Amino acid sequence: MKESVSVVCKYTGLAAAISCSSYLLATESGSPSTSVGVYDFGAGFLPPATEHGSFASRAAFYSADKLANGNGDSTPGQDFSLDVFSISAVYLKMMDKQLLGGRYGYSVIVPFLKMDGSLSVSVPGVGTVFEDDAELFRLGDIQAVPFILGWNLAPNFAVNTQFAVQAPTGDYDKDRFISPSINHWVFTPSAAFTYITQSGFEISSNFQLDISTKNEDTDYQNGLEYRHEFGFGQHVNEWTLGLGGYYYRQLTDDKTGGDYTGQPIVDGNKLETLALGPAISYFSPGMPNVWFHAYKEFDSVNRSEGYNIALRVAHSF
């Protein structure tokens, strides 16, 4: 972290970070350690076991012009904007091999991020005391998922569990306004389910925890993070139409070591946000699967608040 503060806004592809030196937000970065808005309809189902596996790509855009403080309000005198476009390449291989009665698989996700951010801080009677902006396009932090287990408990009910490892492979500079990496490891256990009623109404959810190691460059460690992503919708032929979103909350306090030089942590520096919006998906046997959503964030605390739009396409070969 810079001498005063860091704000990291990580969205979609897997990682994106901005470090600003005048305002302390939740976690070291002010956003979840792993990407948000990934799962909605069909979260519990996994691809079939095929010879070459499944390939997917996800393009997403996040835009925010509000930095919420610990009360959920914008801080007077701040002018903030952030736009992040990310595109990710995903490979997922499901196998016929079973473990604990479930099908085994693994995957890897490689993100690239184009980021454009700016922040200025003004003090009444003094004027602008801090101003910075940056724009870049770089590789983000790669995520490997060495353990996936899926159970199709019924034709209309599926469950899976995964364990992911996010490595600090992206470009990072603690003194730069924007970095595509968060510069620490993240370990993520998760569980998901999808249930579809006889009338075609779907309920899908994914629950996960993010467990972060320390950022050795800043001597800062994020607290334990919880996220619930969901989708509720009606199946109409090959389409599913409805509502999606995510709820994110940091469960434990951030920690710093003796080499940390930023602002003191206040009340654990925890962040929270809720996002809701329309979601749609398309599934037809033999055709690529398609998902799209447009979410608006609400009730954010200690982080940016904006819009999350994403398009995901996947196909098995």
Side-chain angles (χ1 to χ4, degrees):
M1 179 182 283
K2 282 191 178 180
E3 188 167 326
S4 31
V5 62
S6 95
V7 179
V8 175
C9 296
K10 178 179 170 305
Y11 282 91
T12 66
L14 281 191
I18 80 176
S19 299
C20 315
S21 64
S22 66
Y23 185 64
L24 189 63
L25 293 185
T27 69
E28 180 181 21
S29 38
S31 83
S33 295
T34 59
S35 57
V36 297
V38 176
Y39 298 100
D40 42 64
F41 299 129
F45 286 101
L46 294 169
T50 57
E51 181 179 1
H52 302 293
S54 301
F55 295 85
S57 181
R58 184 172 185 270
F61 179 71
Y62 178 78
S63 182
D65 58 8
K66 175 183 176 180
L67 274 178
N69 58 24
N71 297 319
D73 302 319
S74 297
T75 300
Q78 283 193 344
D79 186 7
F80 167 80
S81 71
L82 173 68
D83 294 325
V84 179
F85 174 77
S86 69
I87 186 164
S88 301
V90 182
Y91 176 72
L92 189 154
K93 175 67 172 177
M94 294 303 299
M95 307 172 70
D96 290 323
K97 179 179 179 180
Q98 291 197 351
L99 179 64
L100 301 177
R103 293 188 301 129
Y104 169 76
Y106 57 89
S107 71
V108 63
I109 303 118
V110 181
F112 294 88
L113 300 107
K114 183 180 186 302
M115 307 176 65
D116 186 358
S118 65
L119 173 68
S120 66
V121 180
S122 299
V123 176
V126 178
T128 301
V129 295
F130 172 82
E131 188 172 30
D132 202 354
D133 62 82
E135 182 177 0
L136 56 81
F137 178 72
R138 302 283 171 83
L139 173 71
D141 289 341
I142 295 174
Q143 188 176 77
V145 188
F147 181 81
I148 302 173
L149 279 182
W151 298 266
N152 286 357
L153 304 178
N156 63 333
F157 184 33
V159 176
N160 71 71
T161 185
Q162 305 184 28
F163 181 76
V165 179
Q166 183 171 288
T169 56
D171 183 70
Y172 177 79
D173 183 343
K174 69 176 183 178
D175 296 318
R176 187 176 56 200
F177 182 63
I178 289 178
S179 287
S181 172
I182 58 175
N183 200 46
H184 63 76
W185 294 80
V186 185
F187 302 95
T188 302
S190 66
F193 77 88
T194 293
Y195 178 74
I196 306 171
T197 67
Q198 291 185 348
S199 63
F201 186 79
E202 176 179 331
I203 302 172
S204 287
S205 283
N206 182 81
F207 306 90
Q208 73 177 61
L209 294 173
D210 289 339
I211 305 166
S212 295
T213 63
K214 183 171 64 175
N215 183 341
E216 297 294 343
D217 286 2
T218 61
D219 209 10
Y220 195 108
Q221 184 171 358
N222 294 344
L224 181 66
E225 301 161 69
Y226 164 79
R227 182 157 68 252
H228 174 205
E229 303 197 2
F230 51 84
F232 307 94
Q234 179 65 42
H235 286 235
V236 181
N237 299 321
E238 293 87 2
W239 299 90
T240 306
L241 311 172
L243 178 73
Y246 51 84
Y247 173 69
Y248 170 85
R249 183 172 184 176
Q250 187 177 339
L251 300 179
T252 63
D253 295 350
D254 291 350
K255 297 179 180 179
T256 58
D259 294 331
Y260 173 68
T261 58
Q263 293 184 351
I265 293 176
V266 179
D267 294 330
N269 205 29
K270 298 176 183 177
L271 69 80
E272 185 175 5
T273 195
L274 170 69
L276 293 170
I280 183 172
S281 70
Y282 173 85
F283 173 77
S284 180
M287 298 292 291
N289 299 340
V290 181
W291 297 260
F292 176 81
H293 72 243
Y295 298 158
K296 170 70 174 70
E297 293 177 329
F298 303 92
D299 299 329
S300 299
V301 175
N302 283 332
R303 56 155 290 152
S304 63
E305 182 175 281
Y307 297 87
N308 183 317
I309 301 171
L311 174 67
R312 179 164 48 114
V313 180
H315 191 61
S316 298
F317 295 88

